[in-house]
């Protein structure tokens, strides 16, 4: 596709400004930073360019590559450092203060092994069918806690005597051993220890709690885990597996073992690791506590891939609102700069893209070379698009828009090989741009067979939001209508230059010159035959998409920021950042030890929707199959997914759900029981409570239907008398079924004993919401809650009840009696 028609001389897309809250309602919001002309399109964000990289001729001490024009450039791009195991085969990770720089600023964050981002763990291919285990020791080298509020207005914590106190991690909104915290505004409070951590193997299919078999010995301050479902009072002799419910306090350490082949050979591909301690995940990931984890497999031996040059692009987007280190100031745990949670979500601040911690690195490649580019969106917020264009000069100061984008062939998503769809349509999948939400991984191939000495490629990124440079508004701006693919490309060309690729004969002979057989690559995708071949996923997807009885869905997950308005608690009293109108932090764990119980071995249909904003759904332990998207031209709003994702059925573990889109996925709870989570992978949303606690239960060994006070734990099950749960459930069902909305409106109505605001056949409930407000509930507790023609029966409902006979003079029949 040629882009010249999109850039007529002297013109560009019109800017669209809007109040910041409206921007979150968009199916996709990408920045439109309009360049003055085609020749300056690539430098629309030149002010953000750091001196951290070489953008012109350099003599920086590295190898100099002579280009076709006789100039000399140095390759500044580097893959993340590879982590080598110790003598016992264990990978050592230490979380501590790490200094990093961008845009001329020095910052101090929390990251691993003194580098930003963390080192890559590279797991070799399985040999002779021998099961692989990846051992990781995690040490938290911080010496003290750093309790901070997630709220913009802060928290105040006091004990029973009215004195200031320090709560335990995550207890800021409730009573914690006599220490109670409230926001200074008087509302709920979120408070966490930013120096507490743990470790998540994102993309792994392993046990969610402990590695079976024992064998762990505590030494050197490194803890083991009890070989049971709990870690209290039991002998600790098992390794931690992917246990994100654990906590590693300052000065502590734990031993992990990921038995990746316990359920057969683990899927191959690009995964990653990062902290997953609720409340501090975003702040730690934002400051560099991320690392790639590559699991090797047969795909790495396919001709055309085996010898291809492999590059890992770990994308970070540190916010610009943090105060940097002062000149001469040391990076230590007393001078952490990435340390104010509200700054992470400040959409008025532009974000800067870093690749492996580098700002606008330069890559050099020989002509004709095939390269494998592996993209990992390792940041905490905001979607992005990436497209490759030819440059008119060696530094990408101008883009050759006439030539159009250079497509990258996608061979895997989220570390799982893409299949060839049964009908062969939309394959090989090589759109003009890549779309990535936080947590996404995309493996691509660059076909350099037509690249010659002197060519330049420019990697451009379109951000979710960027600052307005026209002077029309002082807020970040985005597209206010669903864009076309051409508009997304245009936004990307006018976005941020994130890397430069120079093709130079001086780079030597190419490592690989032949593209692989893509049919052979696709044949390595996981099977679509589930439950030991008894369920065909393609047929099951057709049934899933046709399911219209919402209340009977296996699983429904609706991501909401707020229910009605944008400030504080909403009109229904639901806490902010919720799933199905419930927040992880405020769930009563005595009534609901788990949010959902999932039966081992079952294949279930999940329907995912977004009631506000876009949210990347990520579930731990078991990946899922995304069902095919509607056909091109369909009036189904979900057809917009074709702008972002492969339209055919494929495996994933993270998937963005935008407003107005409905996503149907299938998942099988294979092999492993235990507790784990799903959540929004915009990590500041997760830290605020947009997460649920799940447990896979084996009906053959335990009773799975009485684990909650309401019986079984499920998205559509409430404990008897739990008015808040019923209100949340009814509001969620109202999203799909208008017949439920009348009841939802009743349950949302505020009330008290003095003000009679509840309508007929309803009464003021007893349980206040999170803000202390009581709400109406359907039904009656007394005859006076009913219309005068009815009376309250034993079931709590209003039923007609005439008087036994005519009422005498001066009396009226009310609720079945004359008065």
């Amino acid at each position: 596709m040629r882009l010249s028609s999109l850039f007529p001389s002297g013109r560009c897309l019109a800017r669209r400004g809007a109040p910041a809250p409206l921007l979150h309602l968009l199916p996709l919001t990408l920045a439109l930073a309009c360049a003055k002309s085609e020749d300056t399109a690539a430098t629309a964000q030149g002010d953000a360019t750091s001196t951290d990289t070489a953008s012109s001729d350099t003599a920086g001490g590295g190898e100099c590559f002579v280009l076709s024009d006789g100039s000399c450039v140095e390759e500044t791009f580097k893959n993340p450092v590879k982590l080598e195991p110790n003598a016992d085969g264990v990978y050592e990770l230490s979380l501590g203060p790490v200094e990093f720089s961008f845009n001329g600023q020095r910052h101090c964050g929390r990251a691993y092994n003194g580098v930003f981002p963390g080192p890559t763990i590279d797991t070799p291919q399985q040999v002779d069918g021998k099961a692989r285990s990846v051992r990781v020791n995690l040490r938290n080298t911080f010496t003290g806690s750093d309790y901070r509020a997630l709220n913009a207005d802060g928290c105040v914590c006091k004990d029973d005597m009215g004195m200031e106190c320090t709560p335990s991690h995550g207890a800021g909104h409730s009573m914690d051993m006599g220490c109670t915290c409230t926001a200074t505004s008087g509302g709920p409070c979120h408070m966490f220890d930013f120096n507490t951590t743990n470790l998540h193997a994102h993309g792994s299919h392993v046990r969610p709690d402990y590695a079976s078999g024992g064998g762990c010995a505590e030494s050197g301050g490194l803890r083991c885990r009890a070989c049971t479902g709990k870690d209290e009072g039991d002998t600790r002799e098992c390794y931690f597996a992917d246990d994100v419910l654990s906590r590693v306090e300052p000065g502590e350490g734990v031993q992990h073992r990921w038995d990746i082949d316990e359920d057969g050979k683990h899927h191959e591909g690009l995964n990653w690791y990062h902290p997953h301690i609720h409340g501090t995940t975003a702040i730690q990931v934002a400051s560099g506590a991320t690392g790639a984890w590559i699991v090797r497999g047969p795909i790495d031996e396919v001709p055309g891939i085996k010898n291809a040059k492999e590059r890992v692009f770990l994308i970070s987007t540190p916010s610009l609102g943090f105060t940097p280190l002062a000149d001469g100031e040391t990076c230590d745990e007393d001078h952490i700069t990435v340390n104010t949670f509200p700054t992470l979500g400040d959409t008025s601040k532009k974000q800067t893209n870093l690749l492996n911690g580098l700002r606008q690195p330069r890559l050099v490649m020989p002509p004709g070379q095939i390269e494998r580019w592996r993209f990992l969106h390792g940041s905490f917020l905001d979607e992005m698009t990436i497209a490759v264009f030819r440059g008119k000069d060696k530094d990408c100061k101008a883009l050759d828009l006439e030539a159009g984008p250079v497509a990258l062939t996608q061979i895997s998503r989220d570390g799982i090989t893409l299949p060839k769809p049964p009908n062969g349509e939309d394959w090989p999948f090589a759109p003009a741009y890549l779309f990535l939400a936080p947590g996404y991984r995309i493996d691509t191939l660059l076909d350099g067979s037509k690249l010659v000495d002197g060519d330049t490629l420019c990697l451009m990124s379109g951000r979710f939001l960027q600052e307005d440079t026209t002077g029309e508004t002082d807020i970040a701006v985005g597209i206010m209508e669903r864009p076309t693919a051409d508009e997304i490309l245009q936004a990307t060309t006018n976005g941020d230059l994130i890397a430069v690729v120079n093709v130079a004969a001086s780079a030597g002979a190419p490592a690989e010159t032949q593209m692989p057989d893509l049919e052979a690559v696709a044949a390595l995708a996981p099977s679509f035959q589930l439950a030991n071949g008894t369920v065909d996923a393609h047929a099951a997807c057709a049934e899933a998409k046709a399911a219209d009885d919402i209340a009977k869905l296996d699983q429904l997950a609706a991501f909401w920021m707020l229910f009605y308005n944008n400030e504080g608690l909403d009109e229904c009293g639901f806490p902010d950042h919720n799933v199905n109108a419930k927040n992880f932090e405020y769930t009563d764990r005595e009534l609901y030890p788990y949010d959902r119980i999932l039966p081992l071995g079952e294949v279930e249909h999940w329907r995912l929707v977004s009631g506000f904003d876009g949210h990347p759904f990520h579930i731990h332990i078991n990946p899922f199959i995304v069902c095919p998207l509607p056909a091109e031209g369909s009036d189904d709003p979900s057809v917009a997914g074709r702008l972002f994702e492969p339209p055919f059925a494929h495996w994933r573990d993270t998937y963005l759900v935008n407003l107005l889109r409905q996503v149907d996925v299938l998942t099988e709870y294979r092999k492993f029981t235990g507790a784990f989570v799903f959540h929004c992978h915009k990590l500041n949303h997760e830290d605020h409570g947009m997460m649920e606690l799940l447990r896979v239960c084996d009906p053959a060994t335990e009773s799975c239907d009485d684990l909650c006070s309401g019986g079984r734990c499920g998205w559509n099950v409430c404990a008897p008398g739990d008015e808040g749960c019923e209100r949340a459930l009814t509001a969620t069902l109202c999203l799909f079924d208008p017949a439920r909305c009348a009841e939802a409106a009743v349950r949302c109505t505020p009330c008290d004993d003095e003000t009679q605001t509840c309508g007929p056949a309803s009464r003021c409930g007893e349980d206040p919401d999170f803000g202390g407000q009581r709400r109406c509930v359907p039904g009656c507790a007394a005859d006076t809650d009913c219309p005068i023609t009815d009376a309250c029966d034993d079931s709590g409902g209003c039923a007609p009840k005439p008087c036994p006979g005519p009422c005498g003079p001066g009396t009226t029949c009310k609720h079945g009696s004359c008065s």
Side-chain angles (χ1 to χ4, degrees):
M1 174 174 50
R2 295 186 178 272
L3 297 184
S4 56
S5 61
L6 298 179
F7 294 89
S9 177
R11 297 183 60 194
C12 61
L13 276 185
R15 307 285 306 201
R16 296 181 176 94
L22 292 180
L23 295 172
H24 296 288
L25 294 169
L26 309 179
L28 173 68
T29 47
L30 287 169
L32 297 178
C34 180
K36 293 181 180 179
S37 70
E38 176 180 316
D39 287 342
T40 59
T43 57
Q45 293 190 12
D47 291 344
T49 302
S50 171
T51 57
D52 303 334
T53 62
S55 58
S56 60
D57 293 0
T58 179
E63 182 178 0
C64 177
F65 294 96
V66 178
L67 303 183
S68 61
D69 63 359
S71 62
C72 176
V73 297
E74 178 185 337
E75 182 171 42
T76 58
F77 173 86
K78 295 180 180 178
N79 280 330
V81 62
K82 184 177 178 180
L83 183 61
E84 297 295 340
N86 63 22
D88 296 321
V90 180
Y91 296 97
E92 299 278 358
L93 289 177
S94 295
L95 183 78
V98 174
E99 181 175 324
F100 62 98
S101 301
F102 66 96
N103 289 0
Q105 297 180 346
R106 295 169 55 239
H107 282 276
C108 185
R110 300 170 178 87
Y112 299 113
N113 295 18
V115 293
F116 176 106
T120 296
I121 296 175
D122 198 326
T123 302
Q125 185 174 180
Q126 190 180 52
V127 177
D128 297 329
K130 183 179 179 180
R132 294 166 294 176
S133 292
V134 181
R135 284 188 55 189
V136 180
N137 288 344
L138 172 67
R139 300 177 190 270
N140 185 345
T141 67
F142 285 90
T143 61
S145 296
D146 186 7
Y147 283 93
R148 293 180 181 268
L150 303 193
N151 308 54
D153 56 351
C155 296
V156 176
C157 302
K158 294 185 178 181
D159 61 20
D160 295 338
M161 303 299 292
M163 304 295 289
E164 290 189 3
C165 58
T166 301
S168 65
H169 181 87
H173 60 276
S174 61
M175 183 71 70
D176 177 55
M177 298 191 64
C179 188
T180 303
C181 299
T182 57
T184 53
S185 62
C189 180
H190 304 257
M191 193 164 183
F192 299 91
D193 178 7
F194 282 9
N195 286 350
T196 294
T197 194
N198 62 11
L199 188 65
H200 171 43
H202 186 131
S204 65
H205 176 59
V206 298
R207 290 183 179 271
D209 36 34
Y210 59 91
S212 63
C216 183
E218 297 187 346
S219 64
L222 293 167
R223 287 191 289 118
C224 301
R225 196 188 191 286
C227 303
T228 64
K230 298 183 178 179
D231 197 18
E232 301 174 0
D234 294 322
T235 302
R236 296 197 296 258
E237 57 184 19
C238 276
Y239 294 94
F240 287 77
D242 190 29
D243 183 359
V244 300
L245 303 179
S246 62
R247 297 179 182 179
V248 184
E249 308 287 348
E252 293 185 345
V254 295
Q255 302 179 59
H256 287 266
R257 194 181 76 202
W258 304 327
D259 295 333
I260 61 174
D261 297 322
E262 187 175 355
D263 186 27
K265 187 167 61 180
H266 196 280
H267 58 263
E268 56 203 340
L270 176 62
N271 301 305
W272 61 308
Y273 63 87
H274 60 83
H276 206 294
I277 181 71
H278 176 63
T280 70
T281 302
I283 204 76
Q284 293 182 8
V285 167
S287 62
T290 60
W293 173 35
I294 298 173
V295 178
R296 299 291 177 180
I299 193 173
D300 298 282
E301 299 299 318
V302 172
I305 292 179
K306 181 176 181 178
N307 296 323
K309 175 73 173 181
E310 182 174 292
R311 304 187 194 262
V312 175
F313 299 134
L314 200 166
I315 302 165
S316 305
T317 59
S319 297
L320 299 181
F322 295 107
T323 301
L325 290 169
D327 289 343
E329 194 170 43
T330 302
C331 174
D332 56 37
E333 64 180 281
D334 296 322
H335 297 91
I336 301 294
T337 61
V338 184
N339 223 27
T340 52
F341 189 89
T343 302
L344 296 178
D346 185 354
T347 57
S348 67
K349 299 292 191 299
K350 184 175 63 174
Q351 290 185 316
T352 297
N353 300 291
L354 303 179
L355 296 185
N356 304 336
L358 302 172
R359 180 74 176 132
Q360 297 177 336
R362 184 186 300 275
L363 296 72
V364 180
M365 62 178 288
Q369 179 161 278
I370 306 300
E371 297 205 353
R372 185 183 189 181
W373 288 1
R374 313 184 80 164
F375 293 87
L376 192 169
H377 192 326
S379 195
F380 59 95
L381 185 66
D382 288 356
E383 302 87 350
M384 66 192 306
T385 53
I386 294 176
V388 182
F389 295 90
R390 290 178 178 268
K392 289 187 174 181
D393 58 87
K394 71 176 186 300
D395 295 321
C396 292
K397 293 180 179 179
L399 304 181
D400 184 357
L401 298 174
E402 287 286 341
V406 177
L408 299 174
T409 301
Q410 299 185 27
I411 58 173
S412 75
R413 302 296 294 261
D414 293 354
I416 308 176
T417 305
L418 286 173
K420 180 179 180 179
N423 59 14
E425 295 180 1
D426 303 301
W427 185 89
F429 189 62
Y433 54 84
L434 310 180
F435 175 84
L436 298 101
Y440 276 33
R441 290 91 69 208
I442 304 180
D443 264 33
T444 69
L445 294 174
L446 170 68
D447 184 356
S449 61
K450 296 182 176 58
L451 297 178
V452 300
D453 185 34
D455 282 346
T456 299
L457 301 181
C458 312
L459 275 71
M460 302 293 296
S461 171
R463 293 297 307 164
F464 171 68
L465 295 175
Q466 296 180 43
E467 66 181 356
D468 179 48
T469 57
T470 68
E472 295 178 8
T473 176
D474 59 358
I475 64 172
V477 295
I479 298 173
M480 297 304 295
E481 299 173 356
R482 190 171 85 193
T484 65
D486 283 348
E487 288 172 332
I488 293 175
L489 268 178
Q490 184 169 353
T492 307
T493 63
N494 289 324
D496 183 25
L497 175 67
I498 61 174
V500 175
V501 183
N502 294 125
V503 181
S506 60
E512 178 60 73
T513 59
Q514 297 295 319
M515 285 283 283
D517 179 351
L518 296 177
E519 295 262 7
V521 173
L524 298 174
S527 173
F528 284 77
Q529 300 301 308
L530 309 178
N532 295 319
T534 62
V535 176
D536 176 75
H538 295 289
C541 274
E543 294 178 7
K545 295 183 74 67
D548 57 5
D549 190 341
I550 301 301
K552 294 183 179 180
L553 290 179
D554 292 332
Q555 306 294 339
L556 174 69
F559 291 100
W560 292 351
M561 293 286 285
L562 291 166
F563 190 50
Y564 284 144
N565 56 22
N566 293 323
E567 298 294 336
L569 297 175
D570 67 11
E571 295 177 9
C572 280
F574 301 138
D576 196 357
H577 296 87
N578 57 64
V579 180
N580 292 5
K582 299 177 183 178
N583 182 285
F584 178 80
E585 292 183 37
Y586 299 103
T587 298
D588 185 336
R589 290 302 172 196
E590 291 187 5
L591 286 176
Y592 307 101
Y594 309 98
D595 295 294
R596 307 178 197 230
I597 291 293
L598 311 173
L600 181 68
E602 291 292 318
V603 175
E604 287 198 325
H605 164 215
W606 287 62
R607 180 159 291 172
L608 314 175
V609 296
S610 176
F612 194 89
D613 199 1
H615 302 282
F617 169 83
H618 172 55
I619 192 167
H620 294 199
I621 308 305
N622 295 294
F624 52 84
I625 293 173
V626 183
C627 292
L629 294 170
E632 194 72 67
S634 169
D635 58 2
D636 186 333
S638 297
V639 74
R642 285 178 167 266
L643 291 169
F644 322 122
E645 312 285 2
F648 47 84
H650 63 289
W651 287 89
R652 297 288 286 275
D653 63 46
T654 310
Y655 196 86
L656 183 78
V657 186
N658 291 93
L659 182 68
L660 302 181
R661 287 174 57 200
Q662 175 177 293
V663 180
D664 291 291
V665 307
L666 304 175
T667 189
E668 180 181 6
Y669 312 122
R670 285 174 28 209
K671 185 67 176 181
F672 306 124
T673 59
F676 54 98
V677 297
F678 82 82
H679 58 92
C680 172
H681 217 281
K682 291 182 178 179
L683 295 176
N684 53 346
H685 294 183
E686 181 273 313
D687 282 337
H688 270 306
M690 190 173 277
M691 180 165 71
E692 283 193 2
L693 179 61
L694 315 175
R695 181 181 166 192
V696 172
C697 177
D698 184 359
T701 60
E702 58 182 322
S703 176
C704 300
D705 292 331
D706 57 2
L707 294 176
C708 289
S709 294
R712 69 182 183 89
C713 308
W715 74 270
N716 53 0
V717 178
C718 292
D722 187 346
E723 298 168 359
C725 176
E726 293 288 355
R727 183 168 67 255
L729 176 58
T730 306
T732 301
L733 293 173
C734 170
L735 280 175
F736 303 90
D737 183 1
R740 303 273 186 163
C741 295
E743 181 185 346
V746 169
R747 291 187 180 275
C748 286
T749 304
C751 65
D752 55 48
D753 290 334
E754 288 74 33
T755 306
Q756 299 298 319
T757 56
C758 301
S762 64
R763 58 186 174 84
C764 195
E766 297 297 325
D767 298 336
D769 62 25
F770 298 97
Q773 174 65 60
R774 292 166 64 189
R775 305 277 171 172
C776 298
V777 295
C780 57
D783 288 345
T784 53
D785 297 327
C786 299
I788 60 173
T789 57
D790 296 349
C792 189
D793 61 24
D794 293 339
S795 66
C798 294
K801 188 174 183 181
C803 288
C807 294
T811 63
T812 303
C813 183
K814 295 181 179 180
H815 311 298
S817 62
C818 297
S819 61

